Amino acid sequence: MSAQYSTALSDAILALSSLCTAVALYRVSSFATVGFLLMTMAACLGVVRFSQHHPSDSLIARHKYMSQLTASLGLPLIAFAYTRHWQKSLSYAIFVFSLGFFACQQYLDKGLVRKFGAILSGISMLLVLVQSVIFQNVYGVLGVGCFAFAGLVIKTDGYFNSIPRVDLFHYALVLANVLLKEGLLVSKLPSVYYTQ
């Protein structure tokens, strides 16, 4: 396997985007900050993995694990930051289920872990979308749209016009990070800003 420098670069940009987002949200929501920091760690491992000609099996496994952890715990934490004032009981249920899933996933079948992780991330983004539509948060709607487009349309396998799809996936996540950050910042503004 040869080094994939374009993917290492896209992961580096994703890591920088996620870190800047986490720092910007530090005072707004510690839950979202942790969610974006998980994404930062996964992307940093991706930089190391894809910049090597022969990455070790343990590095590949760690990168896959962190990416899966970001989907199954990081995205629910971001969703919790969006919805905890609007739908408390549902938000806490998703949060507790995500933590339980994180604690138990080493005992589950890998295929089952991937499916549950995808379900958790999907439910999380659906909650953000519903909350954003109800409160007319355009940034939140567009951020969820970018995440959905990345996961459902772009995906990570193969090429699109000789560009690795994983690179396009990373760039879509960069845009999603910026939009979701702005959505959280807008949603935390005092209510005086929402008067007509």
Side-chain angles (χ1 to χ4, degrees):
M1 174 192 262
S2 62
Q4 299 170 322
Y5 295 119
S6 68
T7 304
L9 176 64
S10 67
D11 251 331
I13 293 170
L14 177 58
L16 184 61
S17 159
S18 303
L19 181 62
C20 290
T21 299
V23 169
L25 294 174
Y26 172 69
R27 294 190 187 270
V28 175
S29 170
S30 56
F31 295 99
T33 298
V34 172
F36 284 110
L37 285 175
L38 287 172
M39 190 180 298
T40 302
M41 289 187 280
C44 286
L45 284 171
V47 171
V48 175
R49 173 187 175 184
F50 292 113
S51 63
Q52 295 181 9
H53 287 285
H54 301 287
S56 68
D57 290 339
S58 67
L59 175 60
I60 293 170
R62 285 184 181 133
H63 176 238
K64 287 182 179 180
Y65 174 77
M66 280 306 299
S67 297
Q68 194 168 3
L69 183 63
T70 299
S72 62
L73 185 61
L75 293 181
L77 286 170
I78 294 166
F80 185 79
Y82 263 89
T83 61
R84 71 182 179 141
H85 298 296
W86 164 65
Q87 216 21 287
K88 282 187 181 183
S89 58
L90 184 59
S91 297
Y92 283 108
I94 295 293
F95 178 66
V96 169
F97 186 75
S98 297
L99 286 178
F101 176 70
F102 168 66
C104 297
Q105 67 178 309
Q106 65 184 356
Y107 305 109
L108 300 173
D109 176 65
K110 290 186 189 281
L112 191 62
V113 168
R114 274 194 300 275
K115 287 178 185 174
F116 274 134
I119 289 169
L120 273 175
S121 61
I123 290 171
S124 299
M125 289 296 100
L126 183 62
L127 284 173
V128 173
L129 178 65
V130 169
Q131 188 270 351
S132 296
V133 167
I134 288 172
F135 292 102
Q136 300 174 356
N137 186 338
V138 176
Y139 294 113
V141 172
L142 292 174
V144 171
C146 282
F147 260 105
F149 186 75
L152 299 174
V153 177
I154 297 174
K155 302 184 181 177
T156 58
D157 295 328
Y159 293 85
F160 178 78
N161 289 339
S162 75
I163 300 170
R165 284 184 178 271
V166 70
D167 293 356
L168 299 173
F169 178 82
H170 290 155
Y171 293 127
L173 293 184
V174 168
L175 180 58
N177 286 349
V178 171
L179 291 167
L180 289 175
K181 174 196 68 151
E182 291 301 318
L184 272 172
L185 292 175
V186 167
S187 70
K188 298 298 179 183
L189 290 175
S191 58
V192 68
Y193 293 109
Y194 294 105
T195 59
Q196 303 220 2

